[in-house]
Amino acid sequence: MATEVLWWIFAAATVVLSTGVVFSRSVIHSAIFLIGGLAGVGAMYVFLTVDFLALVQFLIYGGAVTVLILLALMLTRSDPSGAKESVNGSQAPFAALAGVMLMAILVSVAVAVKWPGDVDNAPSIISLEAISKALFVDYGPPFVLASVLLLVALVGAIILARQDEGD
Amino acid sequence: MVPLENYLVLSAILFSLGVYGVLARRSAVLVLMSVELMLNAVSLNFVAFAAYLDPEKITGAIFAVFVITVAAAEVGLALAIVIRLFRNRATSNVDEAALMKW
Amino acid sequence: MRDYTVFVPEYIAAGWAVLVIAVELFFPRVRRDGLAYLTALGALVWGISALFFIGKTPQSFQGLIESDNFTTYFRLLAAGIVAAVSIMSASYMRGRTKAAAEYYGLLLIAGCATVYMAAARELITAYISLELLSFCLYILVGYLKRDARSSEAALKYILLGAFSSAMFLYGMSLLYGLTGSTTYDGISAGLAARGSSTDAGIVVAFVLILAGVGFKVSAAPFHMWAPDAYEGAPMPITAFLSTLSKAAGFALILRLFSVALVVDAVEWRWAFAILAAVTMTAGNLIAIQQTNLKRLVAYSSIGQVGYMLITIAAIGYGDETVGLNATSGLLIHLIGYVVSTLALFTALTAYYNKTGKDTVEGLRGLAETQPFLALVITVSLFSFAGLPFFAGFATKVFLFQGATTNELLWLVGLAVLNSFISLYYYLMVIRQMYLFDPVAGMTRFKISPVLWVLSAGLMFGILFIGIYPGPAFKAAENAAKPLFQQAEAASAARVP
Amino acid sequence: MGAEQAWLLAAIPAAMFFVIALFGRYLPRQGDYLGVLAIGTSFVLSFFVLADYLSFYDFEAGKTAVAESIKWSTVGVGETAFKLRMGIYIDQITIVMFGVVTTVALMVNVFSIGYMKGEPRYYWFFAVLQLFVASMLMLVMADNLLLVYISWELVGVCSFLLIGFYWEKRSATEAAKKAFITTRIGDVGLLIGIILLWRATGTFNIREIIDIAEHGGIGSTYLFVSVLFVFLGCMGKSAQVPFHVWLPDAMEGPTPVSALIHAATMVVAGVYLTARLLPLFEVADGTLLIVTIVGLVTALSTGFMALAQTDIKKVLAYSTVGQLGFMFVALGSGHPDAAIFHLMTHAFFKALLFLGSGSVIHGTHHNQEMDKLGGLWKKMPITGTTFFVGSLALAGVAPLAGFWSKDEILHASQTWSGGWVLILLGFAAVMTAFYTTRLFIRTFMGKPMDQHVYESAQESGFLMTAPLVVLGILAAVSGFVIWHGVGTAIGFPGGFTEFVFLEEPERYHIDWALAGGSIGIAVVGIFLAAFVYWNGSLERSTRLARFQPGIYELLVHKFYFDEMYQYAIDKVLLGFSFIVSWFDRYVVNDTGIDGSAQVTGYSGYVLKFLQSGRVPNYAMAITLGVVGLAIVGLMVRA
Amino acid sequence: MTFDEGQGYIVLATLAAPLLAALIILFIPSGQKMAIRFVSAFFAAVMLGLSIYIFVAYQADGEKIQMTLKWVWVENTAFLGKDGITLHLAVDGISAPMALLTGIVAFAGTITSWKLNYRPKDFFILYFTLLAGVYGTFFSFDLFFFFFFYELAVMPLYLLIGVWGSTRKEYGALKLTMMLVGGSVLIWIGIFAVFHEANLGTFDMQRLFAAGNDGTLSPTFQKVFFPMICIGCGVLAALWPFHTWSPDGHMAAPTAVSMVHAGVLMKLGAFGIIRLGIQLLPVGAEFWMPGLMVLGVIGALYGATAALTQRDFKLISGYSSVSHMGYVLMGLATMNQIGITGAVLQMFSHGVMTALVFLLIGALYDQAHTRDMKDFGGLTKVMPVWVVFYTVAGLANVGLPGLSGFTAEFHIFVGTFRAYPVFGALAIVAAALAAGYMLRMFAIVFFGPFNIRWKDLKDLTPLETMAGGLLIASIVLMGVWWAPFTDRIGQTVAAIPGVIG
């Protein structure tokens, strides 16, 4: 019973924070909200008893990604004076419309479809061992590919961001 | 207990918010944040399904791991490109980067 | 079971990528062109090693990756593309970048990614390899650091790419939720077993997946990144984009839809028919108005994608044999299209190196100043337009013929009509080269022998496929067979 | 050499055409003698044919025609296969035509040697003359309508070439064009008629068609229509009203040509074909009446037109048309014998008159306006005398040739009850006599109008006068062959009408009342003219003209036929052509074809602006694509 | 590769000759203009000889399809059966005269282009490619290759006209190419549909013809797709109202190309209607032929009327071509053996005479640089041979007996009268109009007072005289003795099922 209440609180918080991300007028605020939103998702993983993933979520997002984003914000601050320019593009209203339509579709699907399996009982525990076995054994090839992908991303980021003479 | 639908609806909402962000925001970085939101919604979906649907097979969770990884890498690369663009054009607003059109 | 030998060619390619980087690391004075030719050599070795896999019995790696004729077909295709593009790049990238070795390494990695997209029999693997390919392309598109257009192109590409792959993922998650599996066989079984109460979810899942792959092959309305990315990218990379990434996208689509999703074809085939119609029409109509060669090619390739998408719809509408015909038609058309595009871009690169012009008017009087380039460009454009003697004719015939089913005859008609429209803007280019005298000061010039040989070879390929398509067609068909042997069981198990 | 080889008559000149046309200009004298030689040969051969034919001829035994044909071409198989045969068919009419054509052609050839001396393209003239004679001979011996049509058209193109011989003169070119196109319009009818007949009978052979028709093998209405179409062609060639306009203009050609084509041979092709097909006309009710009426109208109207002409050759041209009208009346009355008889005599004296006028023109250095001539008899006695004979013959004064044949026609026209035909014909005959006399007086008698011309005039050379004499004799005596005695005397089975006939040979008996009448007619006409124009003074005629200026104008302008046609062509036909070309340019091409192209291009122009270059718009496109497809899909579900 | 009766290699050689020529010229340096010309002339002569041989050697009353050659191209694939796509070359009574026509016109065109001096290398390469396409289309008995060569014949036109053309060449070239290819698009769709419907796994025409007759191609199907194919081919045959490329294209095209295009290429359209329309879809043809007849009559009258007031030589010829191709379509539309035979005869006749006309126009235009009739007058004085040739061509155009035009038109008229008398009468009227515009031109250009401005005009060169002589010879031959043609054509036409007597 308590978990349900908690769940609702966290869910609401997540939604509110995420809304903040896309609606707040200042990019910095958005970034802060994002941290919160992602943390909320992490909490959801906890509710789903996938603690490992929650951990990953907090580390990667709360740590690496947000820092990166804040860094980028600093680097690309267009005018140091910080004069407010409009943060929304010209098509924001239509964007809202499209978003609502999409949400309608996805939500209706989520509720309308009768999902297979027993969806009303408590979620089954997903153990760390199971994850590690699956990750390193059953899904070895994608794991290798993913490592290559990370390497590529790294190299690419360096090449693109590096200051050459001439610019 | 919390039924599966709740998670799905939550992720749907997050996803749509992300879409709105991509469509509406001007700053490239904010667009990226919105994309992150979408990706999180997706991984939430995966994990929820994994938890509720096939207890012994946990593919969904694995998928979520990969999604998070790729997302992180993507952010890194994208931010590098944003900075590159900022050096060239002194702006990071996506709707000002329209040298090429029609 | 794990037999690590089934992907020896990819080990070679990836290893070669490392080798190229290492060479530059240890011999900093090495000529940049040398790296390019080294890469081309590597691609050749890769291709040759792939030849040994032709006709082998399909081997699966943990049920995640499949090495069969289909995979090998794309191995050879990718190897060829990488070789050609790296040779093109030799003269183009010289002096345009500091990080040449990484450039060529990325070409090879992208090739591998393509192969895995073709080989994947499981969603996670497919997704990762797709992202791997995309990452390489993001970087390559943005490789001209001083050129604002290049960076802008890269930004557009990566933002939209991430956006669409998010859609793709959401679709996959729904699919996973409904079938409880991420392997193609599992999905196909799950789809076969599911009841009608999940139709809505299936439809939305398919639509989202469609958005993801449609973005990859730049099908309207998911195509809009393509012209800008093509225009901004370095010219060889434009060729790379329009050949390799499209080929990879179709490889993924073919295996995914013909193996995993064919059982529920009713839910998605109509969408492909619509996409095909919209794509080919939009591409060809807008191409009429283009003045920049790269954009022109971009739109014309969108039109080509429209033709190819008919095939996927046909797989959905027809039975086994139709699917086989259609797929082999698509595969051979892919070859014809790739060869023609590479020939075109080799010539354009050679021209660009000389003049720095990439507009249609820029080609003015080329027939006077460099008849050979004019000939190559004409041949490849005629091949696009599907005129006889050139690859485009035979392959288009096979493509459309294979896709002709009672439901899709209208679409084939529309496609033929579109290829007629396309002739117009190809003629506009040819007009510039042949009907007008060169601008003042343009005199006859020579092009680098390497590019001459490359374009001559590719032109010969166009002519060969056009005049004697038999062998290529056989190859395409053998490549297509594996998909449909497996699809057989699934469609048998489909509950009415 | 028998009648079966008669095709040689045509073959020899045809071959000579190629010889002279290709090599003539390198030969001495440009090869004119070759022309004379070729036609002379045909002339001689025609007698062999005649002899052979007469030896073969046996009316009682029904052996009246020599037919010979070869397989020409086949299309397809089965009973519906389209088989063509080409061949010759020689009967009395053919024989007569042989005689007429070869004789006149020979005379004209000889005459031309003198007349055309020093003209440019001398050899070309003779070459075309050969081709013309060849096709004319082929026309009269053809055994099927297809061959008839072929030679018919060849004759036409020859006349085109000869009329346009002086192509430097715009008027000559126009005249040639006019002749060709006018006759061509008739030929359209002819071809339609021929094919219609084939459609009904499945053959082009004249004999077979006639047989089938006589045994009622063709529906009456159908036959009527097709025969009328054929007759249209005959009218065109024979310049019957309303197709007569080309003949006077055709006088632009060299005079010998006028003599050959527009008097003796080509223009009578229509008469010949009608006579040849007369059985069809008889089967098809009402066609004969139409033929008669056309003939009458022509005879009368052209008689009037001739009155007001001052150009010698024009006068003769109109008289030719009129005489052809006479022949058609005879045919309309079902008397081919009379028609052919008049055809023959007319050929002789009209050729005589034309050559005579040619001699005058030559002698006076190309003067053919009466207003400049006059009193030439003393200057050129031979021409004058022969011309006199010819005029009398044309006027129909006994016992010259014209009298007998015209008498025959009047006699034939009696078959029409009520005698209205007879009366009208008689009136036409009066006018004939009148303008003939006028022509002769104003040219040869009285005091010269133009002293200078008079001084310079002199008699033409032997080569030109000799044919005149020969033709003069023929014009004088050729009429007597109507008599049984004469006919048998020269080896024929009997008189002309016993030789040429439709059903039954009938021996000629002179009908004194009619003969007297016709003589009277001639005398009246002559004296009227003599009274008006005596010793060349014009004041009486001018008074006549002033007495009714309207009518005079009408006659001078030949009833405004040319003006009407000109209007029809310029305003109607060419106007329509302009409309069509405009439609083709601006509607079919610019709107239909280019328009669709522009629409396509413009749609591309509009669409390309969707490509705004902004990431958010692109993302929006993707989203909308997804939403749209999803909605469609869910709708399809629901 | 299998030959029947040992004659197939002749056909193959005829088809290979132009390709070989193009290949050889490709390797001659473009400076060697004389060499290029001689090679071209030589191969043109070879083609002429082979064509004559084919025409003569074809046995009128033997097998309908002779000199067969089969070379299996693609087979035993997913949707292709044993003889899936076969290079199946052969000659029948219809393609034999067409081959002869091609040989004659090609030869004439080649030696006419002797004095062509601007990039002769490229010109002759494209020119011979075009000819290869023409021969191939006439010889192919396989749908795939039929279409292959059909497109191949159309393809080089854009450059040939665009580069070497004259008046508004870009517009003319573009329009011509687009319209012709647009037509072939319809054919292509039709071919797909036929292949799919027949479902025999082969493109071989003979088997598909059989399918068209035994009902494998359902009547409904045939009725639906016949118009598509007929219009597709009709565009190339200047079928009204898809004829507008003809005036503009001919006005723009260089001499030799006009000759080959009007002389041979337009015939491909009518030939296609016979092969793909009448032979492949007999039921559909039966059903739609009245419509084609109407369009043909309209074309005949319309072209002749429009030609009456034109002032540009080439426009006159362009419109008269529309008119004469209208006759061809009428002949086809009769669906009886006389009419169709006449149509083929007209294809030949119109081919040679139009080629001659364009040769002469070119000879004049090269010197005078104007084609406005009103500028000329009395040309007979300076160019007698030219005038004589033109007169012969013009009179053939008018349908004067003794020249090929009459032979053809006569058969068409007879055939039409058998089927639709009224239309036949209209056609004959159109022939009279032809006399109108031709003689108008004669009167203005050849005759009348001589315009001194043209005193320096040269008469035809010996080479042109030779080419023209060849064409005139064939005009006269067919006009006087047409049995050799009618035998060959008639036998084959009669054997087409669906063609009534």
Side-chain angles (χ1 to χ4, degrees), chain D residues 25 71-78 80-82 84 86 121 124 146 149-151 153-154 157 160-161 164 167-170 173-174 176-177 180-181 184-185 187-189 191-192 194-196 198-199 204 573-578 580-581 583-585 588-590 593-594, chain E residues 168 171 175 179 240-244 247-248 302 305-306 308-310 319 337-338 341 378 380-381 395 398-402 406 410-411 413-414 417-418 421 425 428-429 431-433 435-436 439-440 442-444 446-449 480-483 486-487 490-491 494 501:
Chain D
R25 105 190 72 158
K71 175 174 175 302
W72 193 252
S73 78
T74 312
V75 171
V77 293
T80 58
F82 180 61
L84 287 180
M86 294 289 171
R121 305 186 293 280
W124 179 242
L146 176 57
Y149 181 78
I150 291 176
S151 25
E153 287 288 315
L154 285 177
V157 76
F160 167 73
L161 293 173
W167 50 258
E168 295 88 346
K169 278 163 62 188
R170 177 62 69 193
T173 314
E174 290 305 320
K177 197 171 90 184
F180 192 85
I181 292 180
R184 179 84 185 179
I185 294 170
D187 300 349
V188 169
L191 189 53
I192 294 179
I194 291 176
I195 299 183
L196 280 175
W198 166 84
R199 191 164 175 269
F204 286 107
L573 186 55
L574 294 188
F576 187 60
S577 163
F578 271 116
V580 169
S581 341
F583 177 82
D584 186 57
R585 277 296 93 193
V588 178
N589 183 36
D590 294 1
I593 305 300
D594 296 2
Chain E
R168 296 174 74 202
Y171 174 71
K175 178 153 113 184
M179 285 187 75
W240 189 90
F242 305 104
H243 63 281
T244 59
D248 293 314
Y302 182 95
T305 319
L308 273 173
T309 42
Q310 300 305 326
Y319 278 115
Q337 48 194 17
I338 308 173
T341 309
T380 317
K381 194 174 220 62
L395 290 177
V398 174
L400 180 82
F406 173 75
F410 175 70
H411 283 84
F413 295 156
V414 170
F417 262 93
R418 176 174 274 177
I428 298 181
V429 172
L433 289 176
L439 290 179
R440 166 168 169 274
F442 290 178
I444 293 175
F446 304 166
F447 307 135
V480 175
W481 186 46
W482 57 82
T486 47
D487 293 348
Q491 297 277 344

Side-chain angles (χ1 to χ4, degrees), chain E residues 284-305:
Chain E
E286 195 60 45
F287 180 77
W288 281 103
M289 275 314 179
L292 184 60
M293 172 60 81
V294 172
L295 287 183
V297 173
I298 293 178
L301 286 166
Y302 182 95
T305 319

Side-chain angles (χ1 to χ4, degrees), chain E residues 56-290:
Chain E
V56 175
Y58 179 83
Q59 307 293 338
D61 40 15
E63 275 296 305
K64 294 293 161 282
I65 294 179
Q66 300 173 19
M67 311 187 204
T68 312
L69 167 145
K70 280 193 179 176
W71 188 348
V72 177
W73 211 253
V74 184
E75 60 175 345
N76 295 334
T77 69
F79 55 92
L80 290 175
K82 203 186 92 340
D83 53 358
I85 295 180
T86 309
L87 179 57
H88 181 176
L89 302 177
V91 181
D92 71 356
I94 298 170
S95 45
M98 287 300 107
L100 179 62
L101 169 69
T102 315
I104 294 172
V105 174
F107 182 73
T110 313
I111 59 179
T112 311
S113 335
W114 192 268
K115 58 182 185 295
L116 178 115
N117 215 0
Y118 175 66
R119 290 160 64 178
K121 176 177 176 176
D122 314 5
F123 178 85
F124 279 113
I125 292 176
L126 292 167
Y127 178 77
F128 279 109
T129 320
L130 188 157
L131 289 174
V134 173
Y135 271 124
T137 318
F138 285 142
F139 292 149
S140 301
F141 274 80
D142 180 280
L143 271 183
F144 177 88
F145 278 101
F146 183 94
F147 188 68
F148 179 96
F149 288 116
Y150 188 93
E151 288 268 301
L152 186 62
V154 172
M155 185 177 58
L157 278 171
Y158 180 73
L159 288 178
L160 278 172
I161 297 177
V163 177
W164 290 270
S166 53
T167 320
R168 296 174 74 202
K169 57 186 185 181
E170 290 165 35
Y171 174 71
L174 183 65
K175 178 153 113 184
L176 183 137
T177 321
M178 289 311 282
M179 285 187 75
L180 298 196
V181 175
S184 66
V185 160
L186 295 177
I187 304 176
W188 201 2
I189 300 175
I191 289 178
F192 284 143
V194 167
F195 180 87
H196 176 65
E197 176 83 6
N199 194 15
L200 297 172
T202 179
F203 282 91
D204 187 86
M205 279 194 191
Q206 279 167 294
R207 290 180 53 192
L208 288 171
F209 290 167
N213 291 307
D214 63 20
T216 314
L217 302 175
S218 68
T220 333
F221 173 85
Q222 299 198 18
K223 286 174 190 164
V224 171
F225 279 94
F226 177 81
M228 193 176 263
I229 287 181
C230 182
I231 289 175
C233 301
V235 173
L236 187 43
L239 165 70
W240 189 90
F242 305 104
H243 63 281
T244 59
W245 57 266
S246 170
D248 293 314
H250 287 138
M251 192 158 63
T255 305
V257 176
S258 306
M259 288 171 69
V260 172
H261 186 277
V264 184
L265 217 49
M266 286 175 83
K267 312 303 172 292
L268 288 188
F271 186 76
I273 294 182
I274 297 179
R275 276 266 189 277
L276 305 184
I278 297 174
Q279 287 186 271
L280 186 56
L281 306 171
V283 184
E286 195 60 45
F287 180 77
W288 281 103
M289 275 314 179

